[in-house]
Amino acid sequence: MIWEKMGKIFDPTKHILANGCIEFAQSPQALVVDDFVRIYFSTRQRDPGNGKFLSHISFVDMDKSFKTIGRVSTGTVIELGKLGCFDEHGIFPMNILRYGDTIYAYTCGWNRRVSVSVDTSIGFAVSTDNGLTFKKLGDGPILTSSLHEPFLVGDPFVKRIENWFHMWYIYGTQWKQYSAKAPADRIYKIGHAISEDGISWQRDGRQIIDDKFSDESQALPTVIGFAGKHHMFFCYRQSFDFRNNRDRGYRIGYACSTDLVNWVRDDSSVGIDVTEGDWDSDMLCYPHVFECDGSIYLLYNGNEFGRYGFGLARLRTTG
Amino acid sequence: MFKWQKLGKIFDPTAFKNVGWMDEFAQAPSSLIFDDFVRVYFSCRPRPDENGQYVSRSAYVDLDRKNLFNVLRLSPGPVLELGAPGTFDEFGTYPMSVIRDGDAIHAYYGGWTRCESVPFNVALGYAVSKDEGETFKKIGTGPILSYSPDEPFVLSGPKIRKYDNIWRLWYIAGRKWKVVDGKPEPIYKIRMASSVDGINWTKLNKDVIADKLGEDEAQASPDVIFSRGRYHMFFCYRQASDFRRNKDRSYRIGYAFSDDLLNWTRTDSRVGIDVSAEGWDSEMLAYPHVLELDGAVYVLYLGNQVGRFGFGAARLDGVLE
């Protein structure tokens, strides 16, 4: 397939953001409304206590040509968690699913640890005001660490297919110390779960996307159906020295399936790569595919994990 | 009212010198009865690290079945390994509850991790022993029961039982972290889950025991025993703040009963055991565990400083009904 890049469409540093957020517009995810597209993203505030980051969800409304920015959210879309809760230190990303009259949100909540930097779990919230604000089901997560997925359960993407809710997500397999001086780095893989109600989930309990190399970290799966198949895009990277070394940083991977059980990974078919000299010259990450008025689009982040915004590409061929 | 005869302190971890993994504390006793002895699992702590931080280890002590004050042996080491970096039980396994089923001993335990905004979090782990409880092997690196919308943190204090082929797990779940003098203190409530295989659990998702001290009451150690056609639960409870040094706000033992395992009637007035005027249990009573042994009913429990200097026992006069 071939993706036609449409460039960076949103730069958070050019807008006033709620919660005192200053940079980052990560993991853009679309909600297509009648005459515009609402794109949710995660942006960052400095924690006044210790200068660390707190990720908050915000959104921007764009016209369907993705050239004109309408509204940028000025209020809190979803509150961070209370003291000691799984999403106390950030929500990043948030996946949106229209369901009946309401809008469901699947969040990846962050909380800081001592021996390792962080843990994550997946939360659930509902909006009854067309996605302006979301209310959580409870203080705790709907999917978290379990016997064989011991930490870092996150990056949910939920889709309804034939009366089932399907969730693709990631789970950690190891915190690995690559050098004596560096803090431990995390390794995570893509998993899958199904649900009848969107709240109680049954996991497959296995890694569904083959590794491309040892110690590969796989993140943010997104799935769309067309041409008789299910197509998954995700991002992957080496598990250390991936922040500043462009050859080890995130790229977008691809897999397809006809039965939602077996996925064939074929990164050579993904049809999108870094562009020399551009905003996405060093990495491509946090893909989100969606359909709008008959076209298929890919939202994604470029360099520095989306510190200066996100861009868009349109699918030209499906070959 | 039940009438308990206090027997005194049975086991003092500080009486053992140069045990690297056990310096102080013998918390949350849980028994396993053998032909000649009673094996009591407990959680202890080696000396704290340079930052004053503790880890908890779980071990056992074998007591003479004919005389529980006769300590036969201490386990050669902890019976459970700590978890790998980043896992839920990296910094402690406490408490631990055991049950014999088939040819194995099954252990459910609280696994401890350390957090930045609050001191710790806890989730429930599972391990199996095929050597009569000498050592336990985890079947996974993650927890067997963890957080959910209504149980957002601190799942701890598991008590495992099996009645009519259904596994029952009583445990506590954190409700909120209350900041007292700038320090977060957890408030937790007694909860329950059921399972047909001991591995896949369904939570009841409700508070099992009514509050006595208001919504900030912390409840712990929900120890259940079946006797005379009825289920009896002994647990402990305390105020949310100033419970460590103020004896009037510290742990006491509570009591509830049930005929169906789901609905419990709390009647602390029947519990029949309280702090002593002086001695090792003069300030608090905590982490009760009730067992029936050779026709008598005993409660093992912790005294002052939540078991820092060991656990003791009391024997029931009469029957549990």
Side-chain angles (χ1 to χ4, degrees):
Chain A
M1 59 188 85
I2 297 175
W3 293 92
E4 186 183 341
K5 286 188 177 180
M6 298 167 68
K8 188 158 80 169
I9 61 170
F10 181 76
D11 182 342
T13 64
K14 297 201 162 78
H15 299 271
I16 293 169
L17 301 168
N19 294 303
C21 291
I22 41 170
E23 292 177 333
F24 292 94
Q26 299 183 279
S27 197
Q29 309 219 6
L31 176 71
V32 177
V33 191
D34 295 338
D35 56 352
F36 65 94
V37 178
R38 177 160 290 166
I39 302 173
Y40 295 87
F41 57 89
S42 287
T43 179
R44 296 190 191 181
Q45 170 196 17
R46 287 278 180 186
D47 187 332
N50 54 18
K52 295 184 181 180
F53 285 120
L54 294 166
S55 282
H56 291 269
I57 297 297
S58 189
F59 66 75
V60 54
D61 292 343
M62 302 190 79
D63 77 326
K64 289 189 170 176
S65 72
F66 301 98
K67 292 194 171 104
T68 308
I69 289 176
R71 168 181 190 171
V72 177
S73 66
T74 52
T76 298
V77 176
I78 181 169
E79 298 277 353
L80 298 189
K82 297 171 191 163
L83 180 65
C85 291
F86 76 105
D87 53 353
E88 180 185 358
H89 297 125
I91 296 178
F92 160 50
M94 182 165 92
N95 179 241
I96 299 293
L97 177 71
R98 191 186 290 282
Y99 185 60
D101 293 337
T102 60
I103 297 168
Y104 285 3
Y106 294 90
T107 66
C108 177
W110 292 60
N111 63 95
R112 300 184 195 129
R113 297 291 165 106
V114 170
S115 66
V116 294
S117 56
V118 73
D119 198 17
T120 62
S121 296
I122 293 171
F124 178 74
V126 175
S127 173
T128 53
D129 60 5
N130 287 314
L132 293 179
T133 60
F134 289 83
K135 191 170 159 37
K136 296 176 196 176
L137 177 68
D139 290 336
I142 58 165
L143 205 70
T144 186
S145 50
S146 60
L147 265 184
H148 303 296
E149 298 179 356
F151 38 68
L152 294 168
V153 173
D155 282 13
F157 177 87
V158 177
K159 196 172 163 63
R160 230 175 120 72
I161 303 171
E162 290 168 1
N163 290 324
W164 285 91
F165 290 89
H166 289 257
M167 182 193 285
W168 291 271
Y169 66 99
I170 64 172
Y171 59 94
T173 57
Q174 197 181 354
W175 281 95
K176 190 163 175 176
Q177 189 91 36
Y178 285 96
S179 77
K181 279 172 288 180
D185 278 305
R186 45 195 185 259
I187 301 174
Y188 34 77
K189 308 294 182 186
I190 293 171
H192 172 250
I194 58 168
S195 169
E196 281 182 277
D197 62 4
I199 296 170
S200 300
W201 294 89
Q202 185 69 42
R203 305 177 209 228
D204 293 6
R206 66 186 180 92
Q207 181 181 339
I208 61 166
I209 301 297
D210 291 340
D211 286 329
K212 189 168 185 167
F213 42 83
S214 68
D215 286 6
E216 177 187 49
S217 281
Q218 309 169 339
L220 205 75
T222 174
V223 174
I224 192 165
F226 60 80
K229 280 198 287 195
H230 303 283
H231 307 264
M232 181 190 293
F233 299 84
F234 53 93
C235 53
Y236 66 94
R237 58 166 170 76
Q238 298 281 355
S239 290
F240 71 98
D241 189 25
F242 56 87
R243 288 187 179 86
N244 301 313
N245 182 342
R246 60 170 285 183
D247 295 330
R248 299 174 62 84
Y250 272 127
R251 294 293 183 279
I252 294 178
Y254 169 77
C256 64
S257 172
T258 53
D259 58 7
L260 295 172
V261 176
N262 300 292
W263 291 87
V264 178
R265 181 169 184 171
D266 179 16
D267 291 358
S268 65
S269 292
V270 73
I272 189 166
D273 203 350
V274 293
T275 299
E276 199 70 46
D278 214 333
W279 70 284
D280 57 356
S281 58
D282 295 343
M283 68 171 76
L284 301 178
C285 57
Y286 310 134
H288 177 77
V289 283
F290 66 101
E291 190 174 340
C292 179
D293 291 351
S295 292
I296 292 170
Y297 293 94
L298 171 69
L299 284 163
Y300 66 99
N301 287 115
N303 299 350
E304 292 189 66
F305 308 91
R307 184 169 203 141
Y308 300 106
F310 55 81
L312 187 69
R314 184 168 46 217
L315 189 63
R316 184 139 43 115
T317 70
T318 58
Chain B
M1 195 195 298
F2 299 118
K3 198 167 170 218
W4 297 93
Q5 198 74 44
K6 284 190 178 179
L7 304 175
K9 190 151 76 173
I10 287 182
F11 175 72
D12 182 350
T14 65
F16 292 78
K17 301 300 176 197
N18 303 317
V19 180
W21 47 271
M22 180 180 78
D23 181 49
E24 294 177 323
F25 293 94
Q27 301 182 288
S30 168
S31 67
L32 191 65
I33 298 172
F34 289 80
D35 289 345
D36 299 323
F37 58 90
V38 178
R39 178 160 290 174
V40 180
Y41 293 89
F42 62 89
S43 297
C44 61
R45 305 181 193 179
R47 288 179 189 280
D49 66 17
E50 61 273 19
N51 300 316
Q53 298 268 315
Y54 285 104
V55 296
S56 277
R57 306 302 306 262
S58 288
Y60 65 79
V61 60
D62 288 341
L63 308 176
D64 187 342
R65 182 166 177 159
K66 292 191 178 62
N67 173 13
L68 296 177
F69 286 81
N70 183 15
V71 174
L72 300 176
R73 65 191 150 258
L74 178 68
S75 60
V79 296
L80 271 173
E81 297 292 330
L82 297 178
T87 54
F88 77 107
D89 55 354
E90 181 180 357
F91 293 106
T93 60
Y94 158 61
M96 171 173 173
S97 176
V98 296
I99 189 171
R100 184 187 290 277
D101 189 70
D103 60 357
I105 315 289
H106 303 256
Y108 295 77
Y109 64 94
W112 290 60
T113 184
R114 292 178 188 160
C115 303
E116 186 183 283
S117 62
V118 292
F120 57 82
N121 207 350
V122 193
L124 300 183
Y126 171 63
V128 177
S129 172
K130 294 291 179 73
D131 60 4
E132 292 294 299
E134 298 277 341
T135 58
F136 289 81
K137 198 168 155 47
K138 301 173 193 176
I139 65 167
T141 52
I144 199 160
L145 202 68
S146 191
Y147 322 120
S148 54
D150 294 335
E151 299 180 352
F153 42 70
V154 186
L155 267 67
S156 188
K159 300 279 190 172
I160 183 68
R161 302 290 184 268
K162 194 177 180 187
Y163 297 117
D164 300 329
N165 274 324
I166 305 288
W167 298 72
R168 307 284 187 179
L169 194 57
W170 284 271
Y171 60 99
I172 60 172
R175 176 64 38 83
K176 70 173 173 186
W177 285 94
K178 186 183 168 96
V179 178
V180 181
D181 298 332
K183 193 173 163 229
E185 296 281 7
I187 293 166
Y188 26 73
K189 305 295 180 185
I190 292 171
R191 312 280 282 191
M192 195 189 103
S194 303
S195 171
V196 293
D197 59 8
I199 294 172
N200 297 290
W201 292 88
T202 303
K203 292 179 175 179
L204 183 63
N205 278 324
K206 67 169 203 172
D207 290 350
V208 173
I209 299 296
D211 286 328
K212 176 173 160 179
L213 305 178
E215 65 176 27
D216 283 356
E217 174 182 80
Q219 308 168 339
S221 194
D223 198 77
V224 174
I225 185 168
F226 181 74
S227 177
R228 305 277 167 143
R230 175 167 271 188
Y231 300 95
H232 307 262
M233 182 191 292
F234 292 84
F235 55 95
C236 56
Y237 63 98
R238 60 164 170 79
Q239 297 279 4
S241 61
D242 189 27
F243 56 89
R244 290 191 179 82
R245 304 200 178 278
N246 183 341
K247 64 173 274 192
D248 295 328
R249 299 176 62 84
S250 192
Y251 277 119
R252 294 294 184 277
I253 295 176
Y255 170 76
F257 64 88
S258 172
D259 294 319
D260 63 3
L261 291 171
L262 302 178
N263 299 289
W264 293 83
T265 304
R266 181 173 182 172
T267 53
D268 288 4
S269 59
R270 287 194 68 199
V271 73
I273 188 166
D274 205 346
V275 292
S276 299
E278 56 188 28
W280 74 282
D281 60 354
S282 60
E283 294 166 12
M284 67 174 80
L285 302 178
Y287 288 87
H289 167 58
V290 177
L291 66 151
E292 193 164 1
L293 179 69
D294 301 328
V297 173
Y298 297 87
V299 59
L300 303 176
Y301 64 97
L302 310 182
N304 301 348
Q305 295 190 53
V306 209
R308 185 170 199 145
F309 305 105
F311 61 85
R315 187 175 51 225
L316 187 69
D317 283 350
V319 294
L320 197 56
E321 63 183 348

